[in-house]
Amino acid sequence: QGSFNGYERDRLFVPTDGAAPDRPWIDAGWLMGLDDDHDGRAVVPIDADGDGDQDLALWTLGGLVYRENTAPAAAWTRVRLLEEDGTPALGARITVTHAGRRLARRVALVEGFQSQVSTDVHVGLGGSPAERIEAIEVRWKDGSLQRVEAVEAQRLVTIRRGQALNVFVCNDDKKCHHYNYYIVVHKMPPNNSF
């Protein structure tokens, strides 16, 4: 099998500490054991084993490579945004408020070259597993805003536009429970941003 790039090593760039948008990034691929010398074509984060952390699936000229995240458990939530007809709310934006920080994400299908990602938005909250998220705000494509407060963390939260918040909680024994929360919907002009 040939190489299109001379067997260059894969790289993984991570930001250094700090909040400045121009903070330096470093290549940490070799530190994390991700600097393979195959011809990588695409990489996507995926929770393939259902443990709440993001694993990596890499597409290479040699085939699919799976890398499991074996780091200690940290706090997370996954948000599924659906339009009224049940389709993914592509382009909608969520902001999760947790421990005084606001973390924003968009619902997308593509986040890189030759890759497709889940429309479920994974939000890493850091630290040890959390019990509650202060708030989740959803800015729909038409500018309307939905907000829910005091949502339990460590689970998939499904928000269907204009309806109550649905939370499915599955225990280790695979027994699942369903909860509904009331959401207040605020209509905002589309030009207002977070």
Side-chain angles (χ1 to χ4, degrees):
Q1 170 180 333
S3 170
F4 292 140
N5 65 357
Y7 293 104
E8 292 175 2
R9 301 202 79 78
D10 290 341
R11 296 171 170 234
L12 174 68
F13 291 96
V14 296
T16 56
D17 287 338
D22 61 345
R23 67 186 181 267
W25 290 60
I26 60 170
D27 182 2
W30 63 275
L31 286 171
M32 301 176 143
L34 297 173
D35 65 336
D36 295 326
D37 67 352
H38 54 67
D39 279 320
R41 291 294 174 253
V43 61
V44 294
I46 181 172
D47 183 12
D49 53 7
D51 62 358
D53 61 26
Q54 295 288 275
D55 308 307
L56 293 177
L58 298 93
W59 183 249
T60 72
L61 287 180
L64 185 63
V65 176
Y66 170 73
R67 297 295 183 127
E68 182 179 3
N69 182 347
T70 58
W76 62 275
T77 192
R78 188 168 295 118
V79 181
R80 178 176 294 160
L81 298 180
L82 300 174
E83 295 289 352
E84 292 171 347
D85 64 1
T87 59
L90 298 177
R93 179 181 171 118
I94 67 161
T95 302
V96 173
T97 304
H98 175 72
R101 296 182 338 172
R102 290 173 52 88
L103 307 162
R105 305 283 188 273
R106 282 200 186 278
V107 179
L109 274 177
V110 177
E111 290 187 353
F113 180 66
Q114 293 185 343
S115 62
Q116 180 176 336
V117 295
S118 171
T119 55
D120 293 348
V121 179
H122 179 91
V123 181
L125 303 172
S128 54
E131 292 184 15
R132 292 206 177 272
I133 297 166
E134 294 166 34
I136 299 175
E137 295 175 344
V138 179
R139 171 83 59 178
W140 300 97
K141 290 182 287 187
D142 70 354
S144 62
L145 179 70
Q146 276 182 273
R147 178 181 171 93
V148 65
E149 297 180 354
V151 178
E152 292 189 44
Q154 311 298 102
R155 64 204 67 231
L156 171 64
V157 177
T158 301
I159 301 175
R160 186 183 292 255
R161 182 183 171 116
Q163 293 184 4
L165 173 69
N166 294 308
V167 177
F168 293 90
V169 179
C170 298
N171 301 325
D172 291 335
D173 60 1
K174 305 299 181 203
K175 290 184 180 177
C176 295
H177 307 279
H178 178 256
Y179 301 92
N180 282 323
Y181 291 83
Y182 177 72
I183 296 180
V184 177
V185 179
H186 303 276
K187 182 71 173 172
M188 305 283 287
N191 59 353
N192 287 359
S193 61
F194 284 117

